[in-house]
Amino acid sequence: MCYAIPGKVIAVTNNIATVDYFGELRRAHVMDGIAQIGDYVYAQGGIVVEKISAADAIPVLEIWREQFFELKKVDARLSSTSTKGNNTIASLIAKAENGGNLNRNDMLAILSAENRTNLEMIYTAANRTRRNRLDNACCVHGIIEFSNHCLNDCLYCGIRAGNKVLKRYRMSSEEIIDAADHAIKLGFRSLVLQSGEDQYYTDAMLAAIVKEIHERHGVLLFVSIGERSKECYRKLYESGAYGALIRFETSNKNIYERMRPGKKLQARLNLIRWLKEIGFILATGFLISLPGQTQDDIINDILLTKSLKPDMYSFGPLIPHLQTPLATIEKPNLSYILKVIALSRLVDPDAKILATTALETLGPDAGAAGLLAGANSLMIDATPSKYRKLYDLYPGKTGTDESVEAMAEKTIKLLRSLGRAPTDLGVLL
Ligand code: 5AD
């Protein structure tokens, strides 16, 4: 499978390319001058990741030509179902859809909505907004979880240092590069390299892994390795990891400091802001249903995420893990998470919002429900299966027994059924 559509570069100004996908124009950064007018390229996350020859691109485009327009029709049908109402929720939705700013009270009303009709109204409005702003583009990211060692002791996390029951693993540099090769062969064009905070991997080791993958493949590489030094991140960027996935976890300082012993929210936010400043494609967000977290906190979380101007929102439910101090807390409802997705979309209409793997544990159709409530990206676990179960952040991870191929096939089927296409998510022109 190759679930990516090549586009044709029709203009380049100041290293920004205009990429044409069957008449749909999107913007993408050209790094290292790899593409010029007339070139066929793959773009991911608003970055041109690979130039391909016309001989390679044209047959792929032929396969996509018909499907491309069919998918748009499916998406248009699914996102035109408008549930009407004439209550407060309906008027707030109208306000958001007409370009108005939702204030905190408006946001609170949406987060507190309960009955079925109101919920449907909120989800469908967010889905319409997603389509109006970003069309049916969808990005599928693969994640390779390369080490479950972690020096932190976060109360919510299954791989916390204090979990003495968990069998620990570290993938060697060769294993990580092989896993990336495999994922890219399967068609992934965006990969996240994630681990616990593990100093075993020196800056030089990480940089060498990134450099090797970057040199071998046209792929957008994210690192998700927690609070490493600025020098480390700078080296990784220079080696070709242009993306960083790092959540701030919660905007509530007290909760943050309780949940992450010895850690400071301000330090995390400083790092996140700096990563964005130096040019990283930033994915960030928060956990939902931390103990003591209120709806006001969630509103702050959404507003903080928006203010960080991330290239991707990544937030999800906290799933209680038995070997953590939060073993007995309650899992959030799927409908609550969907409301947070929808509200984020209404508050930040152009956002790229990930339907996370933790969300998918909330039900067999939770990923699809997320995509129909305003999300537009998915993450698939591309960790070698012998390690996958050991990357035990939370229980019930979907697909822990399946091959990456099988999960990717399933995801493609799902995206087709929802009318989503793998054009790049870059800004529509
Ligand atoms: N449930 C859901 N998400 C979790 N994470 C850590 N533990 C859990 C859990 N129990 C998330 C954190 C972290 C990311 C890598 O995984 O938000 O940033």
Side-chain angles (χ1 to χ4, degrees), residues 3-17:
Y3 203 59
I5 304 179
K8 189 172 188 177
V9 175
I10 57 164
V12 184
T13 320
N14 298 331
N15 288 328
I16 307 278

Side-chain angles (χ1 to χ4, degrees), residues 54 149 272 287 310 372:
H149 287 259
I272 293 173
L287 277 165
L372 290 171

Side-chain angles (χ1 to χ4, degrees), residues 156-157 194 247 249 287 317-319 393-394:
Y156 44 82
C157 184
Q194 188 175 84
R247 291 179 172 174
E249 312 288 26
L287 277 165
L318 163 54
I319 313 290
L393 297 180
Y394 48 83

Side-chain angles (χ1 to χ4, degrees), residues 43 103 116 120-121 123 139 144 187 200 203 250 286 315 415:
N103 62 34
R116 203 63 246 154
E120 279 307 316
M121 239 175 354
Y123 305 154
C139 190
I144 297 171
Y200 164 85
D203 298 357
T250 170
F286 49 92
F315 56 79
L415 293 176

Side-chain angles (χ1 to χ4, degrees), residues 2 4-6 40-44 47-50 52 60 189:
C2 184
I5 304 179
Y40 289 95
V41 296
Y42 283 113
Q44 285 284 285
I47 286 197
V48 172
V49 293
E50 190 179 13
I52 57 170
V60 182
R189 300 252 154 215

Side-chain angles (χ1 to χ4, degrees), residues 154 156-159 194-195 224 245-249 268 285-287 314 316-321 324 358 391-395:
C154 306
Y156 44 82
C157 184
I159 68 166
Q194 188 175 84
S195 69
S224 180
L245 165 58
I246 177 166
R247 291 179 172 174
F248 56 81
E249 312 288 26
R268 184 110 172 158
F286 49 92
L287 277 165
S314 166
L318 163 54
I319 313 290
H321 187 294
T324 66
Y391 199 77
D392 190 22
L393 297 180
Y394 48 83

